Amino acid sequence: MLRAFYLFCLAIWMAVPLAQAQPVDGGRAVVELISERDSARPGETFYAALKMDLDEGWHVYWRNAGDAGLPPQVLALDDSDVTDDAIGAFVWPIPHLLPVVPGEIMDYGYDDRVILPFRVTLPDDAVGAVRISLLADYLICEEICIPETAEVQLTVPVGESQPDTVNGTLIGEWMARAPRPFDGEARIDASADPWRLSLKTEAGFDPASDLRFYPFDHEISHPADQPASFGSAGATLSLTPAGGALDGPLDGVVVVETPDGTRTGYTVSAGQGDVFENTAGIAARPASPAGGGGKSLIALAIAAIIGGLILNLMPCVLPVLSIKAMGMVHAVASGHEGDVRSHGLWYTGGVLLSFAALAAAIIAIRQATGTANLGFQLQHGPTVAVLALVMFVIGLWLLGMFELGTSIQNTGSGLAARSGAMGAFFTGVLAAVVGAPCIGPFLGAALGAVLDRPPLAVMVVFLAMGFGLALPYLVLSFVPGLSRLLPKPGRWMETLKQFFAFPMFLTAAALLWTLGAVAGPAAVAWTVAGGTLIAFGIWLARRGGGAIGKALATLAILTGLAYPALTANSSTATGQGTAQYAEKYETEAWSPERVAELTVEGRPVFVDFTATWCATCQLNKATTLKSAAVQQAFADHDVAFLVADFTRKDPVIAEELKRRQRAGVPMYLWYAAGATEPEILPEILSQKLVIGLVTAE
């Protein structure tokens, strides 16, 4: 009985006709016509699709092929029961780039497999079965291009509408890859070169995403890069025009690829107009090509290591590293590889511990205030006063005004080993404290991108930065061949040691300058007095005098260190940022309102976010911004020069740095004439860079 039932069901199933099609080998692609229906009613509209499986290495094209190529098309054949009028246009999935000649020829298309859905409507009077017979005409390319055709057929039984779940699912998946309408507004500013495509949306864009605009026509250069700039309200792409003027809107698809590799397309029709506010100004966040949040953090850590390495060359760290160099020479002179390695490890430990403490402080400040920046320790008067005095005392020691026990001369003894290790450790601490506010290449974007991330990410990037700072000495310590390259010890070392005192005194002077800007001239005077008291205490200690003399000497040294710190909390000092340019070029204090006024007037604007304690800022001033060539260029092109002085705490400047995803100063913004959103310039400037921007107006 059961067997008879199964045979009956099988007979019923075989009696129901299903849509049938066969794949066709076109030469370099297997082409097939598929449908989301097994059967359909007369007059019903449903989706069919051209399914193309391409040979490895071959590709076909998008609706706009780019610089070369032709998109696929289908045409109804004479034996087809449906005509061209009953066949809709392809639903184009978002394409990917096909660089033919890098930088010169760029195409858009697909490889491996592509499914191009389209609507088809059966005749109202259809009966039995409908034959859909089409000619697929396409250009398929590898190193050469070959035009191919394939005659594909699909027979759809007429009756009750029945879905084809397998092909229906496949068609649905590829339709989901088609661009969706952009949930926002788009404008194209074609008044300057490059054009700027501004995308405004409430959700904004992740700065770690990769954005690319695929035009429907040929208004822009297809192979040109499209640098993206992000803002809280969206993003802006710079597009290189193809040569002609833009007449009407710019239409196309913006493809957003997130760090995890997800690609989403949005159809935009950008009318001409200014860039939307807050859709630019934040550079794209560096990310791994493969994407992924974790990998993005790895990329930031790598950038921080490179930045830490470069930090060794920054002027704010070099004086401290001179002490480290002397310590390494002494350690190598001992002839014990263990001492050399110990030096490297203790120094690295001091650097890493200091950067960990700095990261912890930034995390705590961020938790308490909502924002945090590098260099905050040099905005604190007592800290600057103590640092200036420490540099002064180190200078006195280098000059031989006093000795730190016997450790420096006798690295062979146990006491020397302990003191040498501690000396290396505190050299690392000092290098980190003084060097951390220096923002050099790679560090600005990496630190700015990580400051709003979870605490673990902040800690990882700061430790990576410290590791980069310590890495040269760590390598020198563990590679015997390299340490042997250091010069042999001799009388020259005493001379060199004394010479290194003077960079220390200069560093102390620079810190006093910062102290004056942070806490006022009275704090500078008290710190100088404190230094004098320390020198007196050292002199007194050298003369002996028994217990009373030692007690007085200790009191003088401690008072000299403590009192300036207690009196360096003045809030009456003013920054010196604008004054530093006063003799060279007329400047104004920065404010968001002043920037808005100047950009409305159509003036180009250069903004210098600086601080007295920022060595990189001072370097850029000396080499570039205060140079006659740059200032003449500013004058010739009526550039408004604004200065945002971050020497002291300023919540408005801190908010602007956070908005631009920068960890601290320097930061340089360039507003081209008429632009409402700026371009963020590199941390290290050159005259060629700045003059090039100004004269491009």
Side-chain angles (χ1 to χ4, degrees), residues 228-242:
S229 181
F230 296 83
S232 58
T236 297
L237 288 172
S238 294
L239 307 177
T240 302

mmCIF file with all atom_site columns, all heavy atoms in Angstrom, residues 228-242:
data_model
loop_
_atom_site.group_PDB
_atom_site.id
_atom_site.type_symbol
_atom_site.label_atom_id
_atom_site.label_alt_id
_atom_site.label_comp_id
_atom_site.label_asym_id
_atom_site.label_entity_id
_atom_site.label_seq_id
_atom_site.pdbx_PDB_ins_code
_atom_site.Cartn_x
_atom_site.Cartn_y
_atom_site.Cartn_z
_atom_site.occupancy
_atom_site.B_iso_or_equiv
_atom_site.pdbx_formal_charge
_atom_site.auth_seq_id
_atom_site.auth_comp_id
_atom_site.auth_asym_id
_atom_site.auth_atom_id
_atom_site.pdbx_PDB_model_num
ATOM 1  N N   . ALA A 1 228 ? 39.753 60.213 0.851   1.00 0.00 ? 228 ALA A N   1
ATOM 2  C CA  . ALA A 1 228 ? 38.540 60.452 1.641   1.00 0.00 ? 228 ALA A CA  1
ATOM 3  C C   . ALA A 1 228 ? 38.883 61.231 2.895   1.00 0.00 ? 228 ALA A C   1
ATOM 4  O O   . ALA A 1 228 ? 39.935 61.058 3.494   1.00 0.00 ? 228 ALA A O   1
ATOM 5  C CB  . ALA A 1 228 ? 37.866 59.136 2.013   1.00 0.00 ? 228 ALA A CB  1
ATOM 6  N N   . SER A 1 229 ? 37.981 62.106 3.264   1.00 0.00 ? 229 SER A N   1
ATOM 7  C CA  . SER A 1 229 ? 38.096 62.847 4.511   1.00 0.00 ? 229 SER A CA  1
ATOM 8  C C   . SER A 1 229 ? 36.762 62.707 5.232   1.00 0.00 ? 229 SER A C   1
ATOM 9  O O   . SER A 1 229 ? 35.696 62.764 4.601   1.00 0.00 ? 229 SER A O   1
ATOM 10 C CB  . SER A 1 229 ? 38.411 64.311 4.218   1.00 0.00 ? 229 SER A CB  1
ATOM 11 O OG  . SER A 1 229 ? 38.545 65.040 5.409   1.00 0.00 ? 229 SER A OG  1
ATOM 12 N N   . PHE A 1 230 ? 36.818 62.509 6.533   1.00 0.00 ? 230 PHE A N   1
ATOM 13 C CA  . PHE A 1 230 ? 35.606 62.196 7.271   1.00 0.00 ? 230 PHE A CA  1
ATOM 14 C C   . PHE A 1 230 ? 35.252 63.310 8.243   1.00 0.00 ? 230 PHE A C   1
ATOM 15 O O   . PHE A 1 230 ? 36.112 64.089 8.669   1.00 0.00 ? 230 PHE A O   1
ATOM 16 C CB  . PHE A 1 230 ? 35.771 60.886 8.037   1.00 0.00 ? 230 PHE A CB  1
ATOM 17 C CG  . PHE A 1 230 ? 35.961 59.688 7.154   1.00 0.00 ? 230 PHE A CG  1
ATOM 18 C CD1 . PHE A 1 230 ? 37.215 59.362 6.651   1.00 0.00 ? 230 PHE A CD1 1
ATOM 19 C CD2 . PHE A 1 230 ? 34.876 58.912 6.797   1.00 0.00 ? 230 PHE A CD2 1
ATOM 20 C CE1 . PHE A 1 230 ? 37.387 58.271 5.821   1.00 0.00 ? 230 PHE A CE1 1
ATOM 21 C CE2 . PHE A 1 230 ? 35.038 57.813 5.968   1.00 0.00 ? 230 PHE A CE2 1
ATOM 22 C CZ  . PHE A 1 230 ? 36.293 57.487 5.476   1.00 0.00 ? 230 PHE A CZ  1
ATOM 23 N N   . GLY A 1 231 ? 33.995 63.371 8.596   1.00 0.00 ? 231 GLY A N   1
ATOM 24 C CA  . GLY A 1 231 ? 33.519 64.311 9.605   1.00 0.00 ? 231 GLY A CA  1
ATOM 25 C C   . GLY A 1 231 ? 32.400 63.668 10.390  1.00 0.00 ? 231 GLY A C   1
ATOM 26 O O   . GLY A 1 231 ? 31.971 62.542 10.085  1.00 0.00 ? 231 GLY A O   1
ATOM 27 N N   . SER A 1 232 ? 31.918 64.384 11.391  1.00 0.00 ? 232 SER A N   1
ATOM 28 C CA  . SER A 1 232 ? 30.868 63.807 12.233  1.00 0.00 ? 232 SER A CA  1
ATOM 29 C C   . SER A 1 232 ? 29.563 63.629 11.482  1.00 0.00 ? 232 SER A C   1
ATOM 30 O O   . SER A 1 232 ? 28.709 62.842 11.887  1.00 0.00 ? 232 SER A O   1
ATOM 31 C CB  . SER A 1 232 ? 30.644 64.710 13.440  1.00 0.00 ? 232 SER A CB  1
ATOM 32 O OG  . SER A 1 232 ? 30.292 66.022 13.016  1.00 0.00 ? 232 SER A OG  1
ATOM 33 N N   . ALA A 1 233 ? 29.377 64.359 10.361  1.00 0.00 ? 233 ALA A N   1
ATOM 34 C CA  . ALA A 1 233 ? 28.115 64.286 9.627   1.00 0.00 ? 233 ALA A CA  1
ATOM 35 C C   . ALA A 1 233 ? 28.241 63.558 8.296   1.00 0.00 ? 233 ALA A C   1
ATOM 36 O O   . ALA A 1 233 ? 27.273 63.532 7.522   1.00 0.00 ? 233 ALA A O   1
ATOM 37 C CB  . ALA A 1 233 ? 27.578 65.690 9.379   1.00 0.00 ? 233 ALA A CB  1
ATOM 38 N N   . GLY A 1 234 ? 29.397 62.966 8.004   1.00 0.00 ? 234 GLY A N   1
ATOM 39 C CA  . GLY A 1 234 ? 29.524 62.249 6.741   1.00 0.00 ? 234 GLY A CA  1
ATOM 40 C C   . GLY A 1 234 ? 30.959 62.175 6.276   1.00 0.00 ? 234 GLY A C   1
ATOM 41 O O   . GLY A 1 234 ? 31.871 62.103 7.083   1.00 0.00 ? 234 GLY A O   1
ATOM 42 N N   . ALA A 1 235 ? 31.133 62.219 4.963   1.00 0.00 ? 235 ALA A N   1
ATOM 43 C CA  . ALA A 1 235 ? 32.473 62.086 4.388   1.00 0.00 ? 235 ALA A CA  1
ATOM 44 C C   . ALA A 1 235 ? 32.538 62.862 3.083   1.00 0.00 ? 235 ALA A C   1
ATOM 45 O O   . ALA A 1 235 ? 31.508 63.189 2.477   1.00 0.00 ? 235 ALA A O   1
ATOM 46 C CB  . ALA A 1 235 ? 32.820 60.621 4.152   1.00 0.00 ? 235 ALA A CB  1
ATOM 47 N N   . THR A 1 236 ? 33.760 63.154 2.667   1.00 0.00 ? 236 THR A N   1
ATOM 48 C CA  . THR A 1 236 ? 33.985 63.868 1.413   1.00 0.00 ? 236 THR A CA  1
ATOM 49 C C   . THR A 1 236 ? 35.086 63.167 0.629   1.00 0.00 ? 236 THR A C   1
ATOM 50 O O   . THR A 1 236 ? 36.136 62.847 1.189   1.00 0.00 ? 236 THR A O   1
ATOM 51 C CB  . THR A 1 236 ? 34.383 65.330 1.684   1.00 0.00 ? 236 THR A CB  1
ATOM 52 O OG1 . THR A 1 236 ? 33.299 66.002 2.340   1.00 0.00 ? 236 THR A OG1 1
ATOM 53 C CG2 . THR A 1 236 ? 34.696 66.057 0.385   1.00 0.00 ? 236 THR A CG2 1
ATOM 54 N N   . LEU A 1 237 ? 34.825 62.916 -0.658  1.00 0.00 ? 237 LEU A N   1
ATOM 55 C CA  . LEU A 1 237 ? 35.803 62.301 -1.540  1.00 0.00 ? 237 LEU A CA  1
ATOM 56 C C   . LEU A 1 237 ? 36.349 63.353 -2.489  1.00 0.00 ? 237 LEU A C   1
ATOM 57 O O   . LEU A 1 237 ? 35.589 64.165 -3.032  1.00 0.00 ? 237 LEU A O   1
ATOM 58 C CB  . LEU A 1 237 ? 35.154 61.177 -2.350  1.00 0.00 ? 237 LEU A CB  1
ATOM 59 C CG  . LEU A 1 237 ? 34.786 59.888 -1.611  1.00 0.00 ? 237 LEU A CG  1
ATOM 60 C CD1 . LEU A 1 237 ? 33.975 58.981 -2.529  1.00 0.00 ? 237 LEU A CD1 1
ATOM 61 C CD2 . LEU A 1 237 ? 36.033 59.175 -1.144  1.00 0.00 ? 237 LEU A CD2 1
ATOM 62 N N   . SER A 1 238 ? 37.649 63.341 -2.717  1.00 0.00 ? 238 SER A N   1
ATOM 63 C CA  . SER A 1 238 ? 38.264 64.211 -3.714  1.00 0.00 ? 238 SER A CA  1
ATOM 64 C C   . SER A 1 238 ? 38.323 63.458 -5.032  1.00 0.00 ? 238 SER A C   1
ATOM 65 O O   . SER A 1 238 ? 38.905 62.366 -5.100  1.00 0.00 ? 238 SER A O   1
ATOM 66 C CB  . SER A 1 238 ? 39.676 64.618 -3.262  1.00 0.00 ? 238 SER A CB  1
ATOM 67 O OG  . SER A 1 238 ? 39.619 65.415 -2.111  1.00 0.00 ? 238 SER A OG  1
ATOM 68 N N   . LEU A 1 239 ? 37.722 64.038 -6.065  1.00 0.00 ? 239 LEU A N   1
ATOM 69 C CA  . LEU A 1 239 ? 37.637 63.388 -7.372  1.00 0.00 ? 239 LEU A CA  1
ATOM 70 C C   . LEU A 1 239 ? 38.390 64.218 -8.404  1.00 0.00 ? 239 LEU A C   1
ATOM 71 O O   . LEU A 1 239 ? 38.235 65.447 -8.457  1.00 0.00 ? 239 LEU A O   1
ATOM 72 C CB  . LEU A 1 239 ? 36.176 63.227 -7.802  1.00 0.00 ? 239 LEU A CB  1
ATOM 73 C CG  . LEU A 1 239 ? 35.234 62.542 -6.807  1.00 0.00 ? 239 LEU A CG  1
ATOM 74 C CD1 . LEU A 1 239 ? 33.815 62.522 -7.358  1.00 0.00 ? 239 LEU A CD1 1
ATOM 75 C CD2 . LEU A 1 239 ? 35.703 61.124 -6.513  1.00 0.00 ? 239 LEU A CD2 1
ATOM 76 N N   . THR A 1 240 ? 39.177 63.557 -9.218  1.00 0.00 ? 240 THR A N   1
ATOM 77 C CA  . THR A 1 240 ? 39.924 64.245 -10.261 1.00 0.00 ? 240 THR A CA  1
ATOM 78 C C   . THR A 1 240 ? 39.059 64.348 -11.515 1.00 0.00 ? 240 THR A C   1
ATOM 79 O O   . THR A 1 240 ? 38.652 63.324 -12.064 1.00 0.00 ? 240 THR A O   1
ATOM 80 C CB  . THR A 1 240 ? 41.214 63.480 -10.590 1.00 0.00 ? 240 THR A CB  1
ATOM 81 O OG1 . THR A 1 240 ? 41.995 63.353 -9.396  1.00 0.00 ? 240 THR A OG1 1
ATOM 82 C CG2 . THR A 1 240 ? 42.016 64.202 -11.655 1.00 0.00 ? 240 THR A CG2 1
ATOM 83 N N   . PRO A 1 241 ? 38.739 65.562 -11.967 1.00 0.00 ? 241 PRO A N   1
ATOM 84 C CA  . PRO A 1 241 ? 37.889 65.681 -13.159 1.00 0.00 ? 241 PRO A CA  1
ATOM 85 C C   . PRO A 1 241 ? 38.604 65.151 -14.398 1.00 0.00 ? 241 PRO A C   1
ATOM 86 O O   . PRO A 1 241 ? 39.827 65.203 -14.508 1.00 0.00 ? 241 PRO A O   1
ATOM 87 C CB  . PRO A 1 241 ? 37.627 67.185 -13.251 1.00 0.00 ? 241 PRO A CB  1
ATOM 88 C CG  . PRO A 1 241 ? 38.725 67.830 -12.462 1.00 0.00 ? 241 PRO A CG  1
ATOM 89 C CD  . PRO A 1 241 ? 39.102 66.866 -11.390 1.00 0.00 ? 241 PRO A CD  1
ATOM 90 N N   . ALA A 1 242 ? 37.804 64.643 -15.335 1.00 0.00 ? 242 ALA A N   1
ATOM 91 C CA  . ALA A 1 242 ? 38.373 64.054 -16.550 1.00 0.00 ? 242 ALA A CA  1
ATOM 92 C C   . ALA A 1 242 ? 38.830 65.111 -17.535 1.00 0.00 ? 242 ALA A C   1
ATOM 93 O O   . ALA A 1 242 ? 39.520 64.804 -18.503 1.00 0.00 ? 242 ALA A O   1
ATOM 94 C CB  . ALA A 1 242 ? 37.362 63.135 -17.206 1.00 0.00 ? 242 ALA A CB  1
#
